[in-house]
Amino acid sequence: MDDTRMAVIGWRCATCGAEVPVATPLAFRCPNATATDRCHVLQIVSGPRVDPPERQPNTFATDDQNLAWAAFADAHGMDRARRNELVEELDAAIRVVDDAGFVATPFARSAFLSDELGLSARGGIWVKDETGGVGGSQKARFLFSILLHLRAAQELGLLAERPPLAIASCGNAALAAAILAKAADWPLDVYVPTWMSDGFGDRLDELGARVHRSERRNDDPAGDPAMLRFRDAVAEGSVPFTVQGPENGLCLDGGRTLGWEVCEQAAAAGIAQIDRVFIQVGGGAFAAAVGAAMNDVCGPAPLFAVQTEGCAPFERAWRRSEGIEHPAENWAQIMTVWDDPSSLADGILDDETYDWVGVLEAVRSSGGRPVIATEEQVREAHALAHRAGFEASPTGTAGLAGVLAARTEIGDDEQIVVVMSGVTR
């Protein structure tokens, strides 16, 4: 094993092919993306994965040589010892705010869910439980890689000031962003819809975030008004501290740690092959990052992208892209805004799947497909998960709703992976 090699080489836009060196500071978006042409996304270009020499207490320290933020810091002379120190310093500050850090989260077979769904003792429902992670969800993993890049750039003298961080969210992503920003003592603006609950707003206020309720303006184009105001802030100099790859490709970097953990934990549990992985899809970064990571390590574990009948822009894009070899080149025609999204799983009501290109690649390459869950299945999955002991929101149990929707095609001996993520707020 090469103990010094960094796996990540750079970035390439899935749409136009533009390449960005890994040493580039603040390389968040494709250089060819504009305010009127946002149909670009930087994707990680990587060589063979580096097997971690040993598991560290912090999962980001464990996979240092496979992460883009670390390759950026390495390219500017920051050695692994200092990178690990930076990870641990931020992790310790986060624990003061949230009492949770970036450790490997639990992965285990749920006997209750396996029995309830009629799987045999040879198969089962394996749950990756993110509800005990930072902010109670997987979202902080995506944001931590951005924060690490910023702190490294600052220490290396490549970021003279601390511009405000900005995010559009009124759920788990906003909470994770507020926790990380407070821990790093970095200003954060959160752009939220007008219907956000006052209670959740109070929670963001307590963490020091500046909350902006975003009304629709007469001249607004189609799309989420909070996202539009977020983009205005970024255009004025804020850092896109977000979980949408087209807005900041670095978020996809940290999200991969979840997929790597699943592969390692599945192997340790004696699972020779994962038969299906069900991931809930809103903006899509979650499925794109986990799918790519698992394809690299576990082999082609079929990825099933779960949406609800009240909001399924990815499933529609999947059908539209059939037979098209390079769908990203037809982005504007394939991924369009979903009118009037609605579901109990309100955290995946993104009216467009921003990271649909990455999700499509992961689903296609793994032999999976989209799954549409009915509202009845969303409610049933939420109730089942709680009876099994997982205190997750309807959004966080939506992957299980996908299993219910696809149950008739699943063999009783299959090994099924779902992620519980997002504590009930």
Side-chain angles (χ1 to χ4, degrees), residues 224 255 323-324:
D224 179 1
I324 299 176

Side-chain angles (χ1 to χ4, degrees), residues 180-202:
L180 267 60
K182 182 174 180 61
D185 193 25
W186 208 301
L188 170 71
D189 293 295
V190 182
Y191 297 88
V192 302
T194 55
W195 47 262
M196 183 195 70
S197 71
D198 290 338
F200 189 65
D202 291 343

Side-chain angles (χ1 to χ4, degrees), residues 357-419:
V357 173
V359 181
L360 185 69
E361 290 178 358
V363 171
R364 278 184 173 182
S365 63
S366 68
R369 66 173 177 82
V371 175
I372 302 298
T374 66
E375 280 302 294
E376 181 180 355
Q377 288 162 341
V378 169
R379 289 191 294 272
E380 182 182 354
H382 187 229
L384 280 172
H386 275 244
R387 287 165 58 197
F390 300 102
E391 296 296 322
S393 66
T395 297
T397 62
L400 183 61
V403 179
L404 296 177
R407 179 62 186 93
T408 57
E409 69 182 63
I410 296 173
D412 292 349
D413 295 342
E414 290 192 25
Q415 308 287 359
I416 307 300
V417 172
V418 299
V419 181

Side-chain angles (χ1 to χ4, degrees), residues 89-273:
E89 288 166 7
L90 285 171
D91 190 71
I94 291 164
R95 288 175 184 274
V96 172
V97 178
D98 190 56
D99 196 30
F102 288 102
V103 298
T105 50
F107 176 80
R109 184 182 185 275
S110 170
F112 176 85
L113 292 177
S114 301
D115 292 345
E116 286 291 310
L117 272 68
L119 275 72
S120 74
R122 290 188 296 274
I125 303 295
W126 291 81
V127 178
K128 180 66 167 166
D129 185 4
E130 288 289 291
T131 59
V134 177
S137 80
Q138 90 286 354
K139 299 290 188 179
R141 293 179 184 256
F142 292 80
L143 297 171
F144 195 48
S145 51
I146 301 174
L147 182 59
L148 286 166
H149 179 97
L150 292 171
R151 283 289 290 109
Q154 188 178 37
E155 185 168 312
L156 292 163
L158 301 170
L159 181 63
E161 299 179 352
R162 286 191 168 194
L165 309 175
I167 188 171
S169 170
C170 66
N172 291 308
L175 178 59
I179 291 169
L180 267 60
K182 182 174 180 61
D185 193 25
W186 208 301
L188 170 71
D189 293 295
V190 182
Y191 297 88
V192 302
T194 55
W195 47 262
M196 183 195 70
S197 71
D198 290 338
F200 189 65
D202 291 343
R203 195 170 182 186
L204 295 178
D205 289 339
E206 291 170 1
L207 289 165
R210 301 180 298 220
V211 178
H212 307 268
R213 293 184 183 266
S214 306
E215 296 183 353
R216 181 167 293 284
R217 300 172 183 171
N218 292 334
D219 58 348
D220 277 345
D224 179 1
M227 177 61 72
L228 298 175
R229 302 294 85 79
F230 154 81
R231 287 171 175 166
D232 290 343
V234 172
E236 293 172 2
S238 294
V239 171
F241 198 54
T242 182
V243 293
Q244 292 94 13
E247 308 295 340
N248 192 332
L250 265 168
C251 73
L252 301 173
D253 184 33
R256 297 180 300 156
T257 60
L258 193 152
W260 293 330
E261 280 180 20
V262 168
C263 292
E264 179 182 332
Q265 292 168 321
I271 301 175
Q273 176 180 327

